[in-house]
Amino acid sequence: MATIRVQSEDFDAAAEVDALIAGRRDVGAVVTFVGLCRDEGGRLAALELEHYPGMAEEEIGRVVAEAEARWPLMGAAVIHRSGRIAPGERIVFVATASAHRAAAFAAADFLMDYLKTRAPFWKKEHPADSGAGGWVAAKDDDDRAAERWAR
Amino acid sequence: MATIRVQSEDFDAAAEVDALIAGRRDVGAVVTFVGLCRDEGGRLAALELEHYPGMAEEEIGRVVAEAEARWPLMGAAVIHRSGRIAPGERIVFVATASAHRAAAFAAADFLMDYLKTRAPFWKKEHPADSGAGGWVAAKDDDDRAAERWAR
Amino acid sequence: MKAVYFAWVRERIGKPEEEIAPPASVATAGDLIAWLAGRGEEYAYAFEQPKTIRVAIDRTHVKHGAAIAGAREIAFFPPMTGG
Amino acid sequence: MKAVYFAWVRERIGKPEEEIAPPASVATAGDLIAWLAGRGEEYAYAFEQPKTIRVAIDRTHVKHGAAIAGAREIAFFPPMTGG
């Protein structure tokens, strides 16, 4: 059973990892990823994260199911925040648990690449000066990163 | 400045991550790895971790320096426990911080592969039954994993 | 069927969702984008680069060639930038 | 110079470290392994498969061909299994 949540509030990465491995003695490797809001050299006051309620959770679920089909995972968690997020704050959390490190690393890396290109979230920048905010453009890099996993 | 420690006591992964990114607004990605002691289907009572004091810390430092030369890291931490470790307990912790996820993932993966094959630690198994313990044999898989990073 | 819009598609059209009733000749997601683009200048602006627009039918990503028959909810949005 | 042993090399030899004074003809780490192996059956057992043995001179990994001149501490151990 994977943990999948979209929420406006912050998350506790340590508590999520503890829940993932609680009572288990067969997990040998846990990889976590935390994505944070950068201030882009002081240019950024905040990010606004918009998402497609319902589909966001469902799509993350499909991405997690794909990861579970590809690697022998003993647990996985994805938490993605929505709403206004200030520089230094956490945006996204991914955790994977497996018997061995190669599967845990690959699955976490894959989850992030697929979330970036498939999960219906959009970032708008609120600049530190009074200028108008702008929607972040999708990166070709992210598409290429996701294509690494094509079968 | 990277955090590098060899210690018998457990570590607090969340506190280490907090220290890594404290006061920063330029970090966009933090990847952590935690290696745990498996009970191998009930066969194992504990692992005994022997290390080469002095060289262990120095060699981890060389591995971290190599990672910092390869990827634009904003921080790194490696903590490796020594002594007796029971199933379910943490053995090793690696964390990497960078502006972007690709560097953080690659550096953490690299650190683990290099630690496995270069850091002077040896695992001895204490079996759950009364049989004699045995030293864990090095895995060809680990050598191959480390060779992925050869330049 | 319900059309829903996100990010700058939503901002350009000026509403998050609406009921639409395209004619029977509108068979695919791509047809629907072209039909919506003809509904007014805010729609023309939102869909000025049709290839950029991503479509989901009933909360599942689809290509522009996907049939819309039977769809209850069709979403239009820019490429995703989460994570 | 000081020789230090770890893991099953230490267990087979029966001590964690000792002072050694090899003759001048022992020039490399590999030579030193061969010389140590001739010191008694516990050493012969520890070094029965010389190629398996890893060597560090003054806390740095070296190959068997490395010169030992000037070394203060030479360590012998099996392949690492940490992490």
Side-chain angles (χ1 to χ4, degrees):
Chain A
M1 261 295 291
T3 295
I4 294 167
R5 296 206 305 274
V6 177
Q7 61 188 41
S8 57
E9 63 271 26
D10 193 16
F11 48 80
D12 180 341
E16 298 299 332
V17 169
D18 287 347
L20 211 57
I21 59 174
R24 299 195 72 139
R25 296 174 167 228
D26 55 353
V27 173
V30 175
V31 170
T32 71
F33 175 87
V34 171
L36 298 136
C37 178
R38 296 186 305 270
D39 73 354
E40 307 294 358
R43 190 175 57 74
L44 197 72
L47 283 176
E48 186 80 29
L49 264 290
E50 180 170 334
H51 76 292
Y52 185 170
M55 181 175 166
E57 294 85 344
E58 287 178 19
E59 189 64 24
I60 294 171
R62 286 187 281 267
V63 170
V64 169
E66 176 72 24
E68 289 173 331
R70 289 179 180 224
W71 293 281
L73 300 184
M74 293 166 164
V78 176
I79 302 172
H80 203 305
R81 292 179 64 194
S82 64
R84 192 180 174 97
I85 294 174
E89 287 189 52
R90 287 172 277 260
I91 300 172
V92 61
F93 173 75
V94 161
T96 54
S98 187
H100 301 285
R101 74 186 186 287
F105 267 118
D109 201 1
F110 168 89
L111 284 172
M112 280 309 303
D113 284 347
Y114 265 47
L115 286 180
K116 282 258 177 190
T117 54
R118 300 191 58 88
F121 289 84
W122 301 271
K123 290 195 185 96
K124 189 174 192 175
E125 295 187 341
H126 293 289
D129 62 33
S130 54
W135 292 95
V136 172
K139 292 198 195 95
D140 288 345
D141 274 1
D142 288 331
D143 288 335
R144 279 191 293 272
E147 282 162 11
R148 290 187 296 153
W149 307 100
R151 287 187 157 176
Chain B
M1 261 296 291
T3 295
I4 294 168
R5 294 207 305 275
V6 177
Q7 60 189 40
S8 57
E9 62 271 25
D10 193 15
F11 48 80
D12 179 342
E16 297 300 332
V17 169
D18 287 347
L20 211 58
I21 60 173
R24 298 196 74 138
R25 295 173 168 230
D26 55 352
V27 173
V30 175
V31 170
T32 72
F33 176 87
V34 172
L36 299 136
C37 178
R38 297 186 303 271
D39 73 354
E40 306 294 358
R43 189 175 57 75
L44 197 72
L47 282 176
E48 186 79 30
L49 263 291
E50 180 169 333
H51 75 292
Y52 185 170
M55 181 175 166
E57 294 85 345
E58 288 178 20
E59 189 64 23
I60 294 171
R62 287 187 281 267
V63 171
V64 169
E66 176 73 24
E68 288 172 333
R70 291 179 180 224
W71 292 280
L73 300 184
M74 294 166 164
V78 176
I79 302 172
H80 203 306
R81 292 178 66 194
S82 64
R84 191 181 173 96
I85 294 175
E89 286 189 53
R90 287 173 276 261
I91 300 171
V92 62
F93 173 74
V94 161
T96 55
S98 187
H100 301 284
R101 75 186 186 287
F105 267 118
D109 200 1
F110 168 89
L111 284 172
M112 279 309 303
D113 284 346
Y114 266 47
L115 287 181
K116 282 259 177 189
T117 55
R118 299 192 58 89
F121 288 84
W122 301 272
K123 289 194 184 97
K124 189 174 193 175
E125 295 187 340
H126 293 289
D129 60 35
S130 54
W135 291 95
V136 173
K139 293 198 195 94
D140 289 344
D141 273 2
D142 288 331
D143 288 334
R144 279 191 293 272
E147 283 162 11
R148 290 187 296 153
W149 308 99
R151 287 187 157 173
Chain C
M1 67 184 67
K2 187 162 81 169
V4 298
Y5 312 117
F6 292 99
W8 51 255
V9 175
R10 173 182 55 71
E11 287 185 341
R12 290 179 181 188
I13 291 173
K15 57 183 108 171
E17 60 178 70
E18 63 185 320
E19 285 296 322
I20 56 171
S25 60
V26 172
T28 68
D31 293 345
L32 189 51
I33 289 173
W35 180 76
L36 285 165
R39 295 185 83 199
E41 67 179 22
E42 67 275 31
Y43 291 92
Y45 181 36
F47 296 112
E48 66 183 356
Q49 294 189 303
K51 285 183 181 170
T52 306
I53 304 298
R54 306 296 177 93
V55 184
I57 294 182
D58 294 333
R59 301 179 172 180
T60 302
H61 292 295
V62 298
K63 303 201 176 199
H64 284 198
I68 61 169
R72 286 158 304 172
E73 183 171 295
I74 305 197
F76 302 89
F77 42 78
M80 283 72 78
T81 56
Chain D
M1 68 185 66
K2 186 163 81 169
V4 298
Y5 311 118
F6 293 98
W8 52 255
V9 175
R10 172 182 54 72
E11 287 185 340
R12 289 179 181 188
I13 291 173
K15 56 183 108 172
E17 60 179 70
E18 62 186 320
E19 284 297 321
I20 57 172
S25 61
V26 172
T28 67
D31 293 345
L32 190 51
I33 288 172
W35 180 76
L36 285 166
R39 296 185 82 201
E41 68 180 22
E42 67 275 33
Y43 291 91
Y45 181 35
F47 296 114
E48 66 183 357
Q49 294 190 303
K51 285 185 180 170
T52 307
I53 304 298
R54 304 296 178 92
V55 183
I57 293 181
D58 294 333
R59 300 180 173 180
T60 301
H61 292 296
V62 298
K63 303 200 178 204
H64 284 198
I68 61 169
R72 286 158 302 173
E73 182 172 296
I74 305 197
F76 301 90
F77 42 77
M80 284 72 77
T81 55

